[in-house]
Amino acid sequence: NKILIEYYEKKNYQKAEIIILDINGKIIKPINLIDNMLKFKEISLSDVLNGIYFLKISIDDEFTIKKIIVNH
C-alpha cells in the first residue's frame, strides 16, 4: 500500500512536508520534502495499521488535508 504525491518544485521553500496523522491527530509518519525536492514522492503505508488517517501536506504557510483509508 503506497501513496504517490505529485507536487510542484519551487526552489525557495522555507517548509515543505507531508505528515500522516491518525484519527486522534497523533503524528504517525512525518516526511520532510525540503531534503528531497523531486516532483513525486512515494510513501509506503505497509507499516501502518488498517484504519482512517489524514494526510497533511504543508508548503510554507499553506496546507491541505485529505482523508485516507488504509486497508491491507
Side-chain angles (χ1 to χ4, degrees), residues 26-40:
K26 179 182 174 191
I27 296 174
I28 302 299
K29 191 178 271 206
I31 298 112
N32 183 353
L33 298 177
I34 294 291
D35 296 337
N36 188 13
M37 291 306 298
L38 303 173
K39 288 186 83 172
F40 295 94

Side-chain angles (χ1 to χ4, degrees), residues 10-16 32 34 59-61:
K10 181 180 166 189
K11 302 211 184 290
N12 59 350
Y13 287 137
Q14 298 299 313
K15 174 182 146 187
N32 183 353
I34 294 291
I59 297 178
D60 290 334
D61 293 332

Side-chain angles (χ1 to χ4, degrees), residues 3-9 18 38-42 57 59:
I3 297 174
L4 182 63
I5 305 290
E6 178 181 10
Y7 54 94
Y8 297 99
E9 184 177 348
I18 298 171
L38 303 173
K39 288 186 83 172
F40 295 94
K41 179 69 178 175
E42 186 174 275
I57 303 169
I59 297 178

